[in-house]
Amino acid sequence: MKTRTIWIDNDRPDVYAEFISSFSVEKIRDISLQIGFDSHAAVYINEKLAFFGTAADYPWYRLCDKVDITEYCRQQNDIRIAVWHHGVDSQTYIKGKAGQAFSVEQAGKILLKSGSHILARQNVCYRNGYCKKITTQLGLSFCYDNTVRNELPFLPCVESEEEYEFHIRKTDCLELGDRIPVAYYKTEHGYLIDMKEEIVGFLDLEFVSSIEQEILISYGEHLVDGHVPQHIGDRDFSVEFKARKGDNRFLNPFRRLAGRYLEVFCKEPLEITYIGLRPTDRRVKEIKRSFEDPLLQKIYDVSVNTLKKCMHEHYEDCPWREQAMYALDSRNQMLCGYYAFKGQDFQKENLLFIAKGQREDGLLSLCFPTGIDIPIPFFSLVYIMQVHEYVQFTKDFETAAELKPVIERIRRAFQERVDTNGLIPNFPYPYWNFYEWAVESSNESEIERTPDEPYVKQYDMILNSMYVYFCRIYEELYGKRDAAGENPEADGMWQEDSMLAAIHNTFYDEERGLYRLSTKGNAYSQLGNSFAILIGLGSRALAEKLVNDKTLIEVTLSMNTFYYDALLTCGEAYKEFILRDIKEKYGYMLEQGATTFWETAKGWQDFDGAGSLCHGWSAIPAYYLPRLLT
């Protein structure tokens, strides 16, 4: 769809607009809506919610949704389109121009199309220009005033001067679920609401207020001293609602919230019919699996539930705090999805979408999309694993061929950094040399680096091992090529033997029989030594140290894939160890009441109280249990 967009005469950040029109049909069948927008939209046909969605795209690659709206139509139809324009960069959104474009079609005939004839106005029930951030990653919160009657007149909208190319999103739209049962508890300042499990969806309110009053609603995955922690560092997990005297009904169709608990702060008591989150889940077809061990069955089921809570417009790391797609996180999610769900279209579309986030330097951006970019070099190398695994499960070599230029640019970006000693040094500002959330591997202080800080060169075991891994996968996918990409008999891009020798000579500690994490110190981790095994520098003796040496920095939940895969290369005997390890790590979370699996083993207490209790990268038992038990 190539078209001009329409908007109101206000393109400032955090603005809400609504558009109205009508269309007629003779026969009520095969009626579709096609719509593209910045940043969130909801469409009402005859005052029924027929579509909601988030653009989740790039300014240079705009997406539009196509949805069947037949069930909402009659012969004469009113259409109302509500759009929320962010206009503020976050790690889930790149600042774009305000606007939307749509068409209503039937059997190829356009019944209604956006243009300057469409009437529009600002929606003043929402506080425009509010610009309160929930988190840097997630972006903006909202404030709704239910005491306001929007009496602004509808006027012809403003049409953009330039045309935009919109590409149809090839994954299904999300579905709005029914209200779920919740429990209400009176508190000193209002109400605590327990939804019994992690829920991802839209805030749904129905209550009677005896007075006009301002209400604050905080949301979260855990309680501290019986309350939902609203403020965690500079984060603010809350939305605002001004209630009118009498009946109040409200469903926010834009900002997806997540958690188990809501806390309502109000001046006077409410007569509550319902306060909760309406699920907005992606429709998936599960592959039902049964295991004899009830604990492993529970772990598998909760892993699948975790995956489902982290699949919306694209894969997302966690639905509560970020809703951002990372290469490493989505790699774990894709891998699990091959065993948990039927079909691989979602994996394919996400792989293609990630490719659109390639930077000028050849690396991938931190998230997809992101307006705040602190690229992680290690994650760029992981991308080839996603593509390779996709090909293994689907035999879709055409998609791999389509992505080859992207992967080639990644490869060259790293090869150009190989030093005279045969190794790739850590990356300077503005890159983040992250590997996992563990001592000596997170390097989180680099997030705050500035351009004028001196660069301190060091070499990291994991980065260089992952590059070896990357190059081997590249050769399997695309064959060997020389530096010019011409000679299938030679490979001038890297020399495997010399790089392996450089890794061994630089990081191996003869006395301990282990590989150090980096040249800056003497830290040793399970993850770093797992990579040594994966690239062929370790054997059964090193595997034994991985499982028995308690001085090693323990691998985190996100990186168990590398740990388990390293052990499995050393023999079938480690299957039982892996099953015991899964029972121990994931069984502990279940004992603590988990309904989805956590970001790290510390749960919410990690990251100064901001640890996520639903994180897609931790669902990997959904991948390993079917392989080990069937």
Side-chain angles (χ1 to χ4, degrees), residues 357-590:
Q358 188 164 39
R359 298 158 44 94
E360 289 185 3
D361 60 12
L363 270 64
L364 299 174
S365 58
L366 176 66
C367 304
F368 314 95
T370 183
I372 303 174
D373 195 11
I374 313 170
I376 298 175
F378 173 63
F379 282 18
S380 289
L381 292 173
V382 169
Y383 180 62
I384 199 170
M385 298 182 69
Q386 298 175 271
V387 176
H388 185 234
E389 288 156 355
Y390 171 76
V391 171
Q392 287 180 314
F393 282 97
T394 66
K395 308 304 178 188
D396 180 1
F397 297 101
E398 290 184 6
T399 297
E402 182 179 348
L403 294 171
K404 182 182 176 182
V406 174
I407 294 173
E408 179 65 26
R409 285 186 64 200
I410 294 172
R411 180 176 179 171
R412 291 181 183 277
F414 281 88
Q415 180 62 29
E416 289 168 0
R417 288 188 56 80
V418 174
D419 227 332
T420 54
N421 63 0
L423 297 176
I424 300 172
N426 63 331
F427 282 62
Y429 172 90
Y431 304 94
W432 178 17
N433 296 281
F434 173 87
Y435 303 106
E436 64 172 333
W437 286 114
V439 177
E440 303 292 340
S441 286
S442 67
N443 297 314
E444 57 187 308
S445 62
E446 294 180 355
I447 299 174
E448 305 299 328
R449 282 196 293 191
T450 58
D452 56 350
E453 287 187 27
Y455 167 57
V456 180
K457 181 186 285 189
Q458 71 181 55
Y459 301 92
D460 296 334
M461 172 72 186
I462 295 173
L463 183 69
N464 283 276
S465 298
M466 186 65 221
Y467 180 66
V468 172
Y469 212 43
F470 176 100
C471 290
R472 288 177 179 172
I473 295 172
Y474 180 93
E475 290 176 355
E476 186 174 339
L477 275 174
Y478 303 117
K480 294 185 177 182
R481 295 291 185 272
D482 66 4
E486 296 174 352
N487 186 354
E489 301 300 327
D491 184 6
M493 292 294 290
W494 77 305
Q495 295 297 326
E496 179 172 349
D497 291 343
S498 61
M499 181 163 261
L500 287 174
I503 291 172
H504 181 78
N505 294 335
T506 303
F507 301 106
Y508 189 64
D509 183 331
E510 192 89 35
E511 183 178 339
R512 294 199 60 182
L514 292 167
Y515 289 86
R516 293 181 298 159
L517 271 173
S518 75
T519 56
K520 75 173 181 180
N522 287 303
Y524 306 81
S525 76
Q526 286 181 323
L527 180 59
N529 283 279
S530 294
F531 269 102
I533 292 174
L534 289 170
I535 64 172
L537 291 178
S539 59
R540 184 69 179 264
L542 185 55
E544 285 298 302
K545 288 181 179 292
L546 278 185
V547 301
N548 293 316
D549 190 334
K550 303 305 179 185
T551 67
L552 290 175
I553 298 168
E554 187 175 359
V555 69
T556 54
L557 296 176
S558 63
M559 296 299 178
N560 272 330
T561 54
F562 297 104
Y563 180 48
Y564 293 160
D565 284 352
L567 294 176
L568 289 172
T569 65
C570 296
E572 296 289 308
Y574 287 104
K575 285 186 176 182
E576 288 303 319
F577 170 82
I578 293 170
L579 290 172
R580 291 196 303 271
D581 196 63
I582 288 174
K583 281 186 175 183
E584 180 181 341
K585 291 175 178 176
Y586 289 84
Y588 170 76
M589 288 184 264
L590 294 179

Side-chain angles (χ1 to χ4, degrees), residues 326-338:
Y326 297 81
L328 185 280
D329 302 57
S330 59
R331 182 259 169 164
N332 284 10
Q333 292 165 284
M334 290 181 189
L335 199 55
C336 294
Y338 297 123

Side-chain angles (χ1 to χ4, degrees), residues 145-368:
D145 190 341
N146 206 35
T147 69
V148 171
R149 291 187 61 183
N150 192 357
E151 296 180 344
L152 292 178
F154 281 98
L155 301 172
C157 63
V158 179
E159 195 169 21
S160 66
E161 294 182 359
E162 59 182 311
E163 288 189 330
Y164 295 87
E165 180 77 30
F166 287 92
H167 305 268
I168 295 178
R169 197 189 311 268
K170 295 181 181 179
T171 54
D172 294 336
C173 299
L174 306 181
E175 295 183 335
L176 182 65
D178 297 329
R179 288 176 171 176
I180 60 166
V182 300
Y184 304 98
Y185 303 96
K186 190 74 176 69
T187 67
E188 181 182 356
H189 302 290
Y191 303 89
L192 178 68
I193 298 156
D194 185 356
M195 294 178 286
K196 306 299 184 179
E197 62 174 319
E198 181 88 14
I199 299 295
V200 186
F202 293 145
L203 181 65
D204 186 5
L205 308 177
E206 185 177 355
F207 60 82
V208 175
S209 176
S210 59
I211 63 168
E212 182 179 297
Q213 59 178 317
E214 293 183 354
I215 295 173
L216 184 138
I217 302 168
S218 58
Y219 68 96
E221 298 177 317
H222 67 281
L223 301 177
V224 176
D225 298 327
H227 295 280
V228 175
Q230 176 191 345
H231 296 285
I232 304 175
D234 61 354
R235 310 169 187 90
D236 187 338
F237 296 97
S238 71
V239 300
E240 296 180 65
F241 181 84
K242 188 171 183 179
R244 64 187 175 207
K245 181 179 180 180
D247 292 338
N248 290 265
R249 296 195 66 168
F250 173 72
L251 176 73
N252 176 270
F254 303 123
R255 168 55 70 206
R256 196 164 58 240
L257 307 179
R260 173 172 173 169
Y261 302 98
L262 301 174
E263 188 163 8
V264 177
F265 296 87
C266 51
K267 183 177 180 181
E268 293 294 328
L270 307 174
E271 184 181 324
I272 299 174
T273 299
Y274 189 80
I275 297 178
L277 299 182
R278 289 277 294 278
T280 53
D281 295 335
R282 170 166 295 283
R283 183 190 302 161
V284 294
K285 294 181 180 179
E286 286 187 45
I287 300 173
K288 298 298 182 182
R289 298 188 183 277
S290 299
F291 306 106
E292 291 183 3
D293 188 316
L295 176 56
L296 292 178
Q297 182 70 55
K298 182 67 173 177
I299 290 171
Y300 177 82
D301 292 340
V302 173
S303 295
V304 174
N305 189 43
T306 304
L307 292 171
K308 291 193 292 186
K309 302 299 182 187
C310 298
M311 297 170 66
H312 292 96
E313 290 80 19
H314 48 62
Y315 291 107
E316 57 194 31
D317 60 337
C318 62
W320 166 61
R321 191 189 65 216
E322 296 191 14
Q323 297 179 19
M325 178 163 69
Y326 297 81
L328 185 280
D329 302 57
S330 59
R331 182 259 169 164
N332 284 10
Q333 292 165 284
M334 290 181 189
L335 199 55
C336 294
Y338 297 123
Y339 285 85
F341 309 122
K342 296 178 181 178
Q344 292 89 34
D345 288 346
F346 198 61
Q347 283 96 329
K348 175 180 177 178
E349 293 308 312
N350 278 266
L351 286 173
L352 295 171
F353 189 70
I354 289 172
K356 296 292 189 293
Q358 188 164 39
R359 298 158 44 94
E360 289 185 3
D361 60 12
L363 270 64
L364 299 174
S365 58
L366 176 66
C367 304
F368 314 95

